[in-house]
């Protein structure tokens, strides 16, 4: 793999309209070289007989099936409410009406 020079880092930063000082460009170039080297070393280990994976362990769906079920009767639901009217919860008015 190729390494990234300070000039390439400065060019990409300019394309992204990111203002970097020369010290920041040199620091980022060094950090990017370490990342490129790490990717290169992993690429050397990867073989054709090892399938690509996104997780080290297989994932399974842990959610239950979404099956419609009958709801509670309205009278049972409103039995615990402090106030109700016409089969609905009755709440205090909080907005002024004109």
């Amino acid at each position: 793999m190729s390494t990234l020079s300070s000039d390439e880092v400065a060019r990409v930063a300019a394309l992204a309209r990111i203002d970097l000082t020369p010290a920041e460009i040199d620091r980022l170039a060094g950090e990017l070289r370490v990342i490129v080297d790490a990717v290169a070393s992993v690429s050397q280990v990867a073989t054709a007989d090892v399938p690509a994976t996104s997780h080290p362990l297989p994932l399974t769906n842990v959610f239950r099936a979404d099956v419609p079920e009958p709801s509670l009767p309205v009278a049972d639901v409103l039995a615990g409410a402090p106030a109700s009217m016409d089969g609905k919860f009755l709440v205090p008015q909080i907005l002024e009406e004109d």
Side-chain angles (χ1 to χ4, degrees), residues 1 7 18 25 34 42 48 62 73 87 93:
M1 291 190 118
D7 292 337
I18 300 173
I25 291 172
V34 170
V42 169
V62 295
Q93 181 177 341

Side-chain angles (χ1 to χ4, degrees), residues 48-75:
D49 60 335
V50 177
T53 58
S54 62
H55 297 282
L57 302 173
L59 298 177
T60 57
N61 188 0
V62 295
F63 298 111
R64 65 172 172 78
D66 190 10
V67 179
E69 296 182 3
S71 60
L72 293 172
V74 174

Side-chain angles (χ1 to χ4, degrees), residues 7 20-21 25-26 35 38 40-42 47 50-51 55 61 71 78 81-85 89 91 93 97:
D7 292 337
L20 296 175
T21 65
I25 291 172
D26 290 339
I35 293 170
S41 65
V42 169
T47 60
V50 177
H55 297 282
N61 188 0
S71 60
L78 293 176
S84 64
M85 181 170 54
F89 292 104
V91 297
Q93 181 177 341
E97 290 186 19

